[in-house]
Amino acid sequence: TMSTKVPQHDAQPQRLSFGFQRDPWALGLVEVPLTFGWSWFHWLIAIQKELHWVSGSGLSWVPVAPPWTALVPGLHLVVVSRVAHLIMAMQRRYGLAGLSPFLATLLALVPSFSVIYLQNSLNRLWAAIAAHRTGRAAGFSAAGSFANTERRENLRKHVFR
């Protein structure tokens, strides 16, 4: 008999080999305050791992800063800035624009606001990657080339409608 290995995206349909779609408002305004920042810490680690995994950077994950720094007032701004730069780099890779690492860092003075801003950007990024890899967005070919400006504009219209 022939055994068939189930691909990762079929085994976990909500994942689709991208990061998780999360509700930024529930995460930022409910979960982070109710857990006194503990979910903030875990969320920052999780999104770094997701960005690393989706980027295909290899098997070993190295955080942008020691994880405990996310819990230290002041030092958490460094972690947010570096994570924002990672998101911005991934957005550029997929023809998106919009995230400002400076604004993300400024909003991190109140971590809940930063969570809303960054998770909203991540949700748009995951949607763009899904459209790119599956060819479902208008203007995408099966190969998903972003060389054409018109294709990028079609993607923006599809993702940011």
Side-chain angles (χ1 to χ4, degrees):
T1 63
M2 190 174 184
S3 72
T4 307
K5 186 174 180 181
V6 177
Q8 180 76 13
H9 64 275
D10 288 339
Q12 298 175 350
Q14 79 280 9
R15 184 81 186 210
L16 291 173
S17 5
F18 323 119
F20 287 102
Q21 294 279 337
R22 297 176 183 92
D23 181 1
W25 296 98
L27 184 64
L29 297 179
V30 178
E31 193 172 328
V32 170
L34 287 179
T35 61
F36 301 104
W38 192 246
S39 65
W40 154 263
F41 172 73
H42 287 285
W43 175 78
L44 276 172
I45 292 172
I47 64 171
Q48 289 178 67
K49 288 181 179 179
E50 289 172 9
L51 286 164
H52 178 79
W53 183 47
V54 171
S55 71
S57 309
L59 297 175
S60 62
W61 171 72
V62 178
V64 295
W68 58 267
T69 58
L71 297 174
V72 179
L75 288 179
H76 76 287
L77 299 174
V78 173
V79 178
V80 169
S81 175
R82 290 180 179 175
V83 167
H85 277 90
L86 286 175
I87 296 170
M88 185 179 69
M90 288 290 290
Q91 284 180 329
R92 286 184 179 162
R93 183 175 174 187
Y94 286 93
L96 297 174
L99 178 77
S100 166
F102 175 75
L103 180 59
T105 306
L106 186 64
L107 289 172
L109 292 171
V110 179
S112 291
F113 297 154
S114 179
V115 167
I116 293 167
Y117 182 64
L118 290 173
Q119 188 59 56
N120 191 40
S121 295
L122 280 170
N123 287 346
R124 286 194 311 261
L125 175 62
W126 301 148
I129 293 172
H132 173 74
R133 291 188 181 170
T134 60
R136 291 187 183 150
F140 276 91
S141 66
S145 170
F146 279 90
N148 189 328
T149 304
E150 185 177 322
R151 287 184 180 167
R152 279 196 300 266
E153 290 304 313
N154 285 337
L155 173 66
R156 285 190 183 110
K157 287 177 188 174
H158 177 74
V159 173
F160 300 113
R161 58 182 167 171

